[in-house]
Amino acid sequence: MAGYVGAIDQGTTSTRFIIFDHAGSIKGVAQKEHGQIFPRPGWVEHDPMEIWENTQEVIHTALQKSGINGHDLAAIGITNQRETTVLWDRHTGVPYHNAIVWQCTRTDRICDELIRDGGMDRFRDRTGLPVATYFAGPKIKWILDNNSEAKTAAEHGDACFGTMETWVIWWLTG
């Protein structure tokens, strides 16, 4: 019987996996940092494949250290690093670009244009949120505008996009 729950914490600087028993006690934990990529001032990226490799490693390590089998996990929850965004090939899982991190400001011109054409609250009635470089939408647009392979794949329905928990779930579920 599955008596444990796993938790993936895919954060801005590392990925951690924690195993909890029915009482909420920690039975296993592993953590691994990933690289920070700064192509220009104000730009921040992560290598999505490194994050996926680290996720697999911390799950395996926590299970091994705790002596718990993966079949003993009833569920796995995921928390992620906010609006860090990745776009990948839906057939192979290969990313078209490094993930653009939530704190990256490269989409400031996209946001300025959206604000100029509709104000800071342009989408607030539909999303509840202001226009800001923080969010995934401008990041996806930036990748599509700057990566012709990604744009073509998206036009043909061959691209997936999301924040990092979406990326991890895609890989975990095959």
Side-chain angles (χ1 to χ4, degrees):
M1 182 170 112
Y4 301 95
V5 173
I8 298 170
D9 175 8
Q10 200 302 288
T12 305
T13 59
S14 71
T15 303
R16 174 183 354 230
F17 187 68
I18 306 170
I19 303 168
F20 298 93
D21 67 13
H22 186 70
S25 298
I26 294 175
K27 295 300 178 183
V29 65
Q31 180 177 359
K32 186 167 185 182
E33 291 186 5
H34 56 263
Q36 306 296 307
I37 303 164
F38 304 100
R40 295 185 190 172
W43 291 26
V44 188
E45 300 177 356
H46 291 153
D47 176 348
M49 294 308 296
E50 178 188 12
I51 289 172
W52 169 236
E53 290 165 11
N54 289 355
T55 301
Q56 294 174 83
E57 184 178 328
V58 297
I59 291 171
H60 177 76
T61 301
L63 288 168
Q64 187 177 43
K65 285 177 16 182
S66 67
I68 295 169
N69 186 298
H71 296 289
D72 294 328
L73 297 175
I76 297 176
I78 301 177
T79 184
N80 73 314
Q81 53 169 309
R82 305 178 187 121
E83 294 289 316
T84 296
T85 304
V86 63
L87 198 132
W88 67 96
D89 181 296
R90 71 177 307 153
H91 306 289
T92 66
V94 174
Y96 293 105
H97 190 276
N98 281 335
I100 300 177
V101 178
W102 61 270
Q103 63 209 132
C104 184
T105 60
R106 77 182 67 196
T107 62
D108 58 344
R109 289 187 182 138
I110 293 168
C111 292
D112 288 347
E113 183 179 314
L114 290 168
I115 291 167
R116 216 176 8 263
D117 291 344
M120 177 71 77
D121 293 326
R122 179 179 180 167
F123 303 110
R124 192 179 294 270
D125 63 331
R126 287 178 274 168
T127 66
L129 303 168
V131 174
T133 61
Y134 172 78
F135 298 113
K139 291 172 178 51
I140 294 164
K141 179 174 176 23
W142 189 94
I143 293 171
L144 294 173
D145 288 350
N146 289 277
N147 185 306
S148 60
E149 184 183 10
K151 183 176 184 175
T152 300
E155 289 170 347
H156 290 103
D158 293 326
C160 292
F161 64 85
T163 51
M164 293 310 293
E165 84 285 1
T166 307
W167 166 253
V168 170
I169 291 168
W170 190 90
W171 277 101
L172 285 172
T173 60

